[in-house]
Amino acid sequence: MRVSLLGPPGSGKGTQSEVLRDRLRVPHISSGDLLRDAVARGTELGRAAKGYMDRGELVPDQLVLGMIRERLRNTDCGTGWLLDGFPRTLAQAEALDRLLTEEGRGGVEHVVSLHVPREDVVVRLGGRRTCGGCGRLYHVRFQPPKTEGVCDACGGRLSIRRDDEEATIRSRLDVYDRQTAPLLDYYRGRGLLREIDGTTAPAEVSGRILATLDGHG
Ligand code: AMP
């Protein structure tokens, strides 16, 4: 199955992706994770992307597209994929369509859009913590680790993402409204959009997403 997950920052894309990856048995491809990895490794891409990411702006389309093209060529993508945080602009969506056509691969089948009001997102992201070791996600209020600051899974240290500071969160939300929200119409017009209320408990949201994907077999 070929699915793309859309939603403003903090709408639960990362959390839902972990569940969907296991249930759909497809690789989870997060453009944000790939970029953070490139920054951590100090690659050319990482060095070019870092400033944009720290400011909460989008990384230029050409850089992100090259990275995604490479990743989709990986053999693990043969049975499908779950894209998380990509595409994020109309130009990226059109380029993805072209890329999949050129390579003779099936196109996007479902675009799941998670809806969460802006103020909820600010609370969610302000409390978000990520394990520096294995990348697992926590929330100080909604999903705390057993020991404060320590990952339950690997014992790694939990940290706050640089772009989760409140001012940066607000500018990331503005970027979403301006650059990513127009994608909803693009996919709605093609009959691919599956809109999901992302405000309830994570397991309930997963259930609804899976039911929708099933229903659109
Ligand atoms: P995320 O983890 O999805 O919230 O992404 C973190 C940051 O990575 C974003 O604020 C952007 O700076 C950058 N980023 C991730 N995905 C994309 C994309 N598809 N296009 C441009 N920039 C992206």
Side-chain angles (χ1 to χ4, degrees):
M1 194 178 271
R2 296 176 298 277
V3 182
S4 171
L5 199 50
L6 288 184
S11 57
K13 296 192 300 292
T15 305
Q16 293 304 327
S17 292
E18 290 175 6
V19 176
L20 294 175
R21 170 196 61 199
D22 296 342
R23 296 291 295 270
L24 303 174
R25 294 201 191 81
V26 290
H28 167 212
I29 301 174
S30 154
S31 47
D33 284 351
L34 290 173
L35 288 166
R36 277 185 290 279
D37 182 58
V39 171
R41 288 188 292 121
T43 64
E44 197 179 324
L45 169 67
R47 287 198 304 276
K50 186 174 186 314
Y52 297 99
M53 296 173 74
D54 286 348
R55 291 190 298 274
E57 295 166 12
L58 292 186
V59 173
D61 288 337
Q62 286 316 315
L63 294 177
V64 178
L65 280 165
M67 174 186 87
I68 292 288
R69 183 182 296 115
E70 284 272 292
R71 181 62 187 86
L72 288 178
R73 281 190 180 141
N74 207 311
T75 48
D76 66 345
C77 292
T79 54
W81 29 256
L82 172 67
L83 288 174
D84 160 12
F86 180 92
R88 241 171 162 115
T89 63
L90 211 46
Q92 289 180 11
E94 288 167 353
L96 175 65
D97 288 345
R98 275 197 304 276
L99 167 80
L100 295 171
T101 308
E102 270 163 32
E103 304 212 344
R105 313 271 286 274
V108 182
E109 293 169 286
H110 307 278
V111 176
V112 175
S113 167
L114 293 175
H115 291 268
V116 176
R118 199 178 169 98
E119 287 317 309
D120 292 16
V121 161
V122 175
V123 172
R124 284 186 182 193
L125 290 182
R128 177 158 79 173
R129 299 291 180 271
T130 312
C131 172
C134 68
R136 189 159 161 179
L137 299 170
Y138 294 87
H139 192 282
V140 291
R141 238 166 81 195
F142 309 128
Q143 207 179 347
K146 291 197 185 84
T147 310
E148 198 185 316
V150 180
C151 178
D152 295 346
C154 76
R157 278 173 55 87
L158 304 187
S159 60
I160 186 163
R161 256 173 60 175
R162 228 188 145 106
D163 57 354
D164 280 346
E165 311 287 341
E166 183 160 341
T168 315
I169 292 172
R170 293 199 184 272
S171 74
R172 287 164 65 206
L173 286 168
D174 289 341
V175 166
Y176 180 82
D177 289 345
R178 227 176 25 247
Q179 297 187 264
T180 309
L183 282 186
L184 301 183
D185 275 342
Y186 177 76
Y187 286 120
R188 189 180 289 117
R190 297 175 49 196
L192 301 178
L193 190 68
R194 324 287 178 229
E195 295 186 83
I196 302 284
D197 171 7
T199 57
T200 58
E204 216 177 302
V205 177
S206 312
R208 251 183 274 127
I209 296 175
L210 289 164
T212 305
L213 297 182
D214 244 12
H216 286 88

